[in-house]
Amino acid sequence: MRRSKKERQQMLVETIRENPFITDEELADKFTVSVQTIRLDRLELSIPELRERIKSVAENHLSDEIKALPIDEIIGEIIDIELDQSAISIFDVKHEHVFKRNGIARGHHLFAQANSLAVAVINDELALTAKASIHFTRQVKEHERIVAKAKVIDGGISGRTLVEVNSFVGHELVFKGQFEMYRSNFDEKDV
């Protein structure tokens, strides 16, 4: 059954309110219309594109929570965080992030996303990477979206916190790392 434009736009507003991270492509599939129709609907309704919605959600909800570095210094867009527990960020690989000759993302961008997420998840004013063990499991290409998931797995032997970060394109693991993080609020009585 084909919906009227008004009906579709009302449902579009509700869908984006429930999930601000839904893409135009996913919306087009959901409403059985073209991506261009979704973009025109968003324009008429003054709904920003996905990147702006993510940035807005991050700035509004996360900037007060993240202590170790300013939100604008994080590589990628943090979409969820529970300090000293877990965090998720996304990074869209663009032309400026890849080698010109083959379109493969430069590794330091994947590392930077994972490392800044490991710093951000630490509930401390000062968190620094003391040591990292990383592994790239597959090449990442231009236009792919990397979802990095950080998990605190050890809370502080000798003033260090171990954070594991796994990065995915779709469901495929592309990067994994363990980051030993120094934190300033370590109390030696806790050992």
Side-chain angles (χ1 to χ4, degrees):
M1 181 179 115
R2 196 126 174 112
R3 297 176 184 92
S4 71
K5 179 178 177 179
K6 186 176 180 178
E7 222 177 15
R8 181 183 67 244
Q9 287 184 344
Q10 286 175 332
M11 292 176 74
L12 178 71
V13 169
E14 290 172 28
T15 302
I16 291 174
R17 189 177 299 126
E18 289 172 12
N19 178 9
F21 308 118
I22 193 166
T23 66
D24 287 348
E25 290 77 10
E26 291 169 328
L27 288 165
D29 286 345
K30 179 178 176 82
F31 296 113
T32 324
V33 294
S34 70
V35 172
Q36 187 61 31
T37 299
I38 294 297
R39 289 181 180 148
L40 289 170
D41 284 348
R42 277 195 306 96
L43 190 62
E44 280 182 38
L45 298 166
S46 299
I47 297 172
E49 65 181 20
L50 175 64
R51 186 166 193 77
E52 289 304 312
R53 293 193 310 267
I54 290 169
K55 193 172 186 178
S56 174
V57 168
E59 287 172 353
N60 292 337
H61 298 297
L62 305 176
S63 61
D64 292 337
E65 290 183 44
I66 299 171
K67 296 180 180 180
L69 73 164
I71 197 149
D72 61 341
E73 291 182 12
I74 295 169
I75 307 302
E77 306 282 340
I78 292 187
I79 59 172
D80 188 37
I81 191 164
E82 289 183 55
L83 293 177
D84 283 338
Q85 292 183 34
S86 63
I88 300 172
S89 75
I90 60 173
F91 180 75
D92 291 317
V93 179
K94 298 181 179 174
H95 184 70
E96 63 266 21
H97 304 126
V98 301
F99 292 108
K100 289 180 180 32
R101 69 179 185 274
N102 56 20
I104 296 172
R106 293 182 184 98
H108 65 271
H109 294 295
L110 280 76
F111 174 81
Q113 178 191 19
N115 188 64
S116 65
L117 192 61
V119 171
V121 77
I122 301 297
N123 187 13
D124 193 343
E125 295 290 328
L126 176 65
L128 302 170
T129 305
K131 182 178 167 183
S133 173
I134 64 170
H135 184 72
F136 296 91
T137 59
R138 103 146 155 84
Q139 300 169 348
V140 176
K141 299 276 192 175
E142 186 175 356
H143 305 300
E144 289 187 313
R145 171 171 284 166
I146 304 166
V147 177
K149 298 178 180 183
K151 182 178 179 185
V152 175
I153 57 176
D154 185 13
I157 296 173
S158 304
R160 306 286 171 92
T161 298
L162 192 59
V163 179
E164 182 179 85
V165 180
N166 292 305
S167 300
F168 301 86
V169 171
H171 295 291
E172 190 174 359
L173 182 70
V174 296
F175 173 93
K176 61 183 177 178
Q178 284 198 341
F179 296 84
E180 192 175 297
M181 306 302 295
Y182 167 83
R183 56 194 310 152
S184 66
N185 66 4
F186 172 72
D187 187 350
E188 293 200 28
K189 297 181 294 189
D190 295 337
V191 176

